[in-house]
Amino acid sequence: MSVSIEPTSVTAVSDDSAPAKGAKNEQALRPHAEDAFAQELQALAAADDRPRPARWKMSPWAVATYLLGGTLDDGTVISPKYVGPRRIVEVAVTTLATDRALLLLGVPGTAKTWVSEHLAAAVSGDSTLLVQGTAGTPEEAIRYGWNYAQLLAHGPSRDALVPSPVMRAMGEGTIARVEELTRIPADVQDTLITILSEKTLPIPELGEEVQAVRGFNLIATANDRDRGVNDLSSALRRRFNTVVLPLPESPEAEVEIVSRRVDQLGRSLELPQAPDGIDEIRRVVTVFRELRDGLTTDGRTKLKTPSGTLSTAEAISVVTNGLALAAHFGDGVLRPADVAAGILGAVVRDPAADRVIWQEYLETVVRERDGWKDFYRACREVSA
């Protein structure tokens, strides 16, 4: 017997701090993608006259345009959510229109979660059907659980069953997301095999199964750089189409990404408006790229690489924190002293080895670089 999972109904409450599902929470510290970019999504859907897969909010072309940015015929500007090779986005979007699940693979900080969220928002209008992978993620997080009060009172029944985000996506024909798939124990990972191959989820306690309806698919993210990861079995990996998200190819692309995200975060955090800090953003990106690559930008000096990833996401964090320092404890202008402590914290993860690497970089590269004297002094001060 097969069953369908109906969307969970939510009763509205009078407390303004707890809006009903689907209502945009104006006070949210970080709105979901479908809320933060609702106007862009609506404009794209209205202008989109191309074929749409079942239950998709817009066509694959419009989804790719939403992620990569562009200008519509009516003049609406769609901001880029991902700066990178167009073909990567096209392959990812196309995968979701097939019966293959999508695995976004890359080192930490390559925007895997960001891309996953925006893909789900554009395709299904809902990015919240999420399973967060950890070493303690149980099988119930992917399959289903039980309301134990109902279970003890009435035994196994549909009323006692608590669907997982994946089960709900199967029944609603939407996109489910699994973050950090390789952090989930291997035996729990393999719970996905039947779901992805047979498109069914058996419920043996009820003698039933949930069959996925058209529109269902799954996006997983993973990296194999951090410690404590669990390799995917070959059986599970075959159920995914893997798309590798690279680090930004050029300094200019990375500066653009950092600038754009810092501006978005600054507005969401209501930081005081600050003058353009592009010089310091470019400096942070340069430091991160040189230490990450083990080579200065001019190719003349080889460098030791610290233990941290020094990702674009960490550069965004360093600059955002620097802007907050400049706004609240400075003159509002982003200066070297505002980013120095953040860079030190990002680079020196291993207090013994990384500190030596950082000191060598300061003395051999930063100290001798034209226009970097203030940055050198600020870094020496926080490193003392």
Side-chain angles (χ1 to χ4, degrees):
M1 179 186 299
S2 63
V3 297
S4 61
I5 299 296
E6 297 297 333
T8 304
S9 61
V10 178
T11 303
V13 293
S14 58
D15 183 1
D16 291 338
S17 65
K21 178 183 176 182
K24 184 175 180 179
N25 185 356
E26 300 293 346
Q27 299 301 315
L29 181 61
R30 185 193 181 283
H32 298 303
E34 57 270 23
D35 294 330
F37 298 92
Q39 291 183 343
E40 292 186 15
L41 289 168
Q42 291 169 3
L44 267 169
D48 184 20
D49 58 358
R50 305 194 182 201
R52 308 180 185 186
R55 292 184 175 80
W56 279 40
K57 299 296 184 181
M58 57 185 70
S59 70
W61 170 85
V63 174
T65 301
Y66 169 72
L67 264 79
L68 294 166
T71 302
L72 303 182
D73 291 340
D74 63 0
T76 301
V77 176
I78 306 300
S79 61
K81 319 302 178 303
Y82 176 73
V83 178
R86 182 178 186 86
R87 200 59 174 174
I88 286 179
V89 173
E90 292 175 344
V91 171
V93 173
T94 302
T95 296
L96 294 177
T98 70
D99 65 344
R100 302 274 288 184
L102 174 64
L103 175 62
L104 298 175
L105 190 66
V107 300
T110 48
K112 299 183 298 296
T113 298
W114 179 255
V115 171
S116 168
E117 179 185 2
H118 283 281
L119 281 172
V123 171
S124 300
D126 185 0
S127 64
T128 64
L129 296 178
L130 171 67
V131 176
Q132 178 61 57
T134 69
T137 299
E139 190 175 297
E140 291 79 7
I142 295 176
R143 298 178 73 239
Y144 53 85
W146 297 98
N147 179 324
Y148 286 100
Q150 290 276 1
L151 188 64
L152 292 173
H154 306 292
S157 66
R158 288 302 309 281
D159 290 337
L161 186 143
V162 180
S164 71
V166 176
M167 178 183 278
R168 289 176 53 198
M170 293 175 70
E172 298 172 8
T174 55
I175 301 293
R177 300 166 55 210
V178 179
E179 289 294 314
E180 301 290 354
L181 179 60
T182 51
R183 291 196 173 277
I184 299 175
D187 57 333
V188 179
Q189 291 178 9
D190 286 345
T191 304
L192 288 169
I193 291 177
T194 300
I195 294 173
L196 298 182
S197 60
E198 304 297 328
K199 301 298 187 291
T200 62
L201 177 55
I203 311 175
E205 297 89 344
L206 302 180
E208 301 174 354
E209 66 177 12
V210 173
Q211 289 186 308
V213 301
R214 292 185 182 275
F216 165 73
N217 213 326
L218 185 139
I219 306 172
T221 66
N223 77 78
D224 52 9
R225 175 70 64 88
D226 290 345
R227 297 175 181 175
V229 299
N230 302 291
D231 291 336
L232 302 182
S233 66
S234 58
L236 180 56
R237 188 177 283 273
R238 287 198 307 271
R239 270 67 182 182
F240 285 99
N241 189 20
T242 302
V243 172
V244 178
L245 297 184
L247 290 165
E249 292 183 356
S250 66
E252 292 76 16
E254 192 160 3
V255 168
E256 180 185 351
I257 294 169
V258 174
S259 301
R260 191 178 300 278
R261 284 295 293 140
V262 166
D263 179 63
Q264 292 172 346
L265 287 170
R267 283 187 273 111
S268 69
L269 296 173
E270 297 183 348
L271 292 177
Q273 192 69 28
D276 187 8
I278 192 66
D279 289 340
E280 293 309 317
I281 292 175
R282 186 171 288 110
R283 197 193 315 269
V284 171
V285 168
T286 299
V287 171
F288 275 35
R289 290 183 70 90
E290 289 184 332
L291 288 173
R292 194 167 67 210
D293 296 341
L295 188 70
T296 55
T297 53
D298 58 12
R300 296 179 179 178
T301 306
K302 290 186 177 181
L303 305 169
K304 295 178 181 178
T305 302
S307 59
T309 57
L310 299 181
S311 66
T312 307
E314 290 168 300
I316 292 168
S317 177
V318 168
V319 176
T320 302
N321 188 69
L323 281 174
L325 281 172
H328 297 301
F329 297 102
D331 59 2
V333 178
L334 186 65
R335 302 186 185 279
D338 300 317
V339 298
I343 290 179
L344 177 66
V347 174
V348 181
R349 299 295 177 85
D350 183 329
D354 290 345
R355 186 170 290 276
V356 173
I357 292 172
W358 175 239
Q359 292 294 343
E360 289 182 0
Y361 179 73
L362 283 181
E363 299 302 326
T364 61
V365 178
V366 175
R367 183 179 182 179
E368 305 300 326
R369 187 165 278 167
D370 291 340
W372 284 44
K373 297 298 183 185
D374 289 345
F375 180 69
Y376 172 75
R377 286 192 290 269
C379 289
R380 289 284 297 174
E381 181 178 342
V382 298
S383 300

